[in-house]
Amino acid sequence: MIGKKTGLLMALLAVCMLSSTVLAKDTLQQSGKGIKIWFDTGGPVGETYNTIVQHGAEQAAADLGCDIEFMYSDWSPQKMLENFQKALAAGPDGIVVMGHPGDDAYAPFIKEAVDKGIIVSSSDTELPNLMEKYQASGFGYAGVSNYARGKALATEAVNRFGLKKGDRALVWGLKSQPTRGLSSKALIETLENSGLTVDYMEISPEIDKDASLGTPVITAYLSSNPDCDIVIMDHGALTAQLENFFRAAGIGPDEIIGAGFSLSPATASAIKAGYVDLVGDGQPYLQGYLPVLQIVLTKRFGFSGLEIETGGGFIHTANIDLIAPLAEKAIR
C-alpha cells in the first residue's frame, strides 16, 4: 500500500508523466475529457466546510476537463448511502464518497459499483477496509487520519495554552459515527491523559446539518459550567460558529480557549477577534481536488488508489493574516 507520506509525491509525478505523454503527441489535451464523476460533498448546500471541498473538486474538473455532478448529504450517514445508490443508478465513470457511514455500511454498494466498472474513491473520512480491498481498482483516500487529527489538536492545545490537571474541557463531536468518531475519541482520550476533566456532547443530526441551531445548547452548557477552560468543536461548521456561541453566552474574547477544525471566513474573523485560538487544518480544498484527479488517473491510465494525507498543521493568531485571504476565496 502506498503510504500517506509518499502519496502526494506520486500523484504529482503521475501528473508530470501524463504531461509528458501528451506532449509526446505534440497536442495538449485534458485527460479527463468525457469522464463523468458524481461527488458527495458531505454537508448541506452552502455550508462552510463542504463548500471548500466542492471548490477543490470544481477546480480539478475544470483543469482536467471532466464533468462533475455534486450531491449534498447534510452530514447524514444514511443520506450518504442513499446518494451513493442514486449515483450508482446514473452509471458514471467514478463516484467520490465521504466515509462517515463506515466500511460495513458502504461495502455492498461499493462492491456493486466496482463490479460495474465504476471507480470509487473517498474523501475526508477513511474507509480503510474498502480501500485495502479495492485500491488496485483505483480506490484512494484524500484526507486525514481522524484519530491522529484529534490527538494532534488536543496535544497542541495542552502544550500551547499550558492546560493542566483539573482544568475543564468541553468536546462537542460525533463520537457515535464509526470512523469519523475517532477524532472525538482521540480528543477526549488525549485531554483526559493530560489530567483534564472532559465533558462530551454528541452533535445532533439537526445541528450537524445547521450549526447555528447549536446556540442554545452551548449557552446552556457554559451557563452550567462557568469553570470551563477550553471548548473544542470537532466539526468545521461548529468551529465557524464559535464566536457567535461565545457572544450569545456573554463570554468575551480570550475568556475561554476556543478550538476546532477547518478554516472558513467566519473562523478566520473569529481568530482575529480572539474568540477562536487554535484550528486544525485538514485542507479540504485538496480533499475535493485530489479524488477527482484520482478517478481520472485510474480511468485513463490504470493508476491504483493513492492514500494522501492532506493535514496542514495549525492556524492561530500568528499565521492567520497569511491564510485569511485564501479563506475568503473558500480555498483554505
Side-chain angles (χ1 to χ4, degrees):
M1 180 179 288
I2 298 170
K4 293 182 180 179
K5 294 182 179 179
T6 59
L8 182 55
L9 176 60
M10 293 192 68
L12 294 174
L13 287 173
V15 174
C16 292
M17 290 169 64
L18 299 188
S19 299
S20 299
T21 301
V22 243
L23 286 172
K25 297 178 180 179
D26 297 320
T27 306
L28 291 173
Q29 301 175 5
Q30 290 179 300
S31 54
K33 208 74 173 175
I35 294 176
K36 179 71 174 180
I37 296 171
W38 283 52
F39 195 121
D40 194 331
T41 69
V45 176
E47 192 242 48
T48 54
Y49 180 85
N50 64 299
T51 295
I52 301 174
V53 174
Q54 180 169 332
H55 283 183
E58 287 171 335
Q59 187 62 60
D63 290 346
L64 297 165
C66 51
D67 297 318
I68 194 160
E69 181 83 21
F70 291 105
M71 301 176 287
Y72 305 92
S73 292
D74 301 330
W75 299 120
S76 163
Q78 181 57 40
K79 195 167 182 179
M80 290 179 185
L81 294 173
E82 293 169 1
N83 277 340
F84 187 88
Q85 293 173 73
K86 185 189 302 183
L88 185 59
D93 298 289
I95 303 173
V96 181
V97 300
M98 289 199 170
H100 298 61
D103 282 301
D104 292 342
Y106 266 129
F109 305 115
I110 289 179
K111 179 182 185 303
E112 182 180 352
V114 174
D115 287 348
K116 291 180 176 180
I118 298 172
I119 302 159
V120 182
S121 199
S122 60
S123 172
D124 180 80
T125 294
E126 315 100 305
L127 291 166
N129 295 338
L130 289 169
M131 181 171 176
E132 182 177 5
K133 186 172 184 179
Y134 298 116
Q135 188 173 12
S137 301
F139 195 110
Y141 176 61
V144 297
S145 160
N146 276 276
Y147 190 90
R149 84 163 190 165
K151 181 177 180 180
L153 182 66
T155 301
E156 180 68 17
V158 168
N159 294 335
R160 180 177 289 270
F161 305 116
L163 296 169
K164 59 189 183 304
K165 183 176 181 179
D167 287 342
R168 180 177 292 276
L170 168 67
V171 173
W172 202 359
L174 293 163
K175 190 170 64 170
S176 66
Q177 294 188 8
T179 307
R180 174 64 177 81
L182 293 175
S183 178
S184 296
K185 291 178 181 178
L187 284 165
I188 295 166
E189 290 174 6
T190 304
L191 293 170
E192 287 182 340
N193 289 340
S194 298
L196 277 74
T197 299
V198 181
D199 298 322
Y200 176 75
M201 297 193 304
E202 182 78 9
I203 300 168
S204 70
E206 295 77 19
I207 295 172
D208 199 7
K209 178 180 178 180
D210 183 354
S212 65
L213 299 177
T215 301
V217 178
I218 188 68
T219 53
Y221 169 84
L222 292 172
S223 176
S224 301
N225 297 276
D227 60 336
C228 181
D229 298 287
I230 180 171
V231 171
I232 301 181
M233 300 297 186
D234 190 9
H235 193 286
L238 284 174
T239 302
Q241 288 288 328
L242 256 178
E243 179 173 352
N244 293 334
F245 292 158
F246 284 154
R247 285 182 180 275
I251 293 169
D254 300 317
E255 288 186 26
I256 293 179
I257 299 164
F261 293 101
S262 306
L263 197 60
S264 69
T267 302
S269 176
I271 292 173
K272 292 182 177 183
Y275 287 96
V276 174
D277 303 283
L278 185 65
V279 173
D281 183 19
Q283 302 186 116
Y285 187 89
L286 294 178
Q287 296 176 20
Y289 194 102
L290 294 172
V292 174
L293 174 62
Q294 171 71 71
I295 289 172
V296 172
L297 289 175
T298 301
K299 181 69 176 179
R300 282 283 183 258
F301 305 101
F303 282 97
S304 60
L306 301 171
E307 186 177 9
I308 303 174
E309 168 67 61
T310 65
F314 302 103
I315 303 168
H316 39 74
T317 54
N319 59 16
I320 188 59
D321 287 337
L322 175 67
I323 299 173
L326 296 173
E328 291 293 336
K329 298 177 181 179
I331 294 175
R332 292 293 299 276

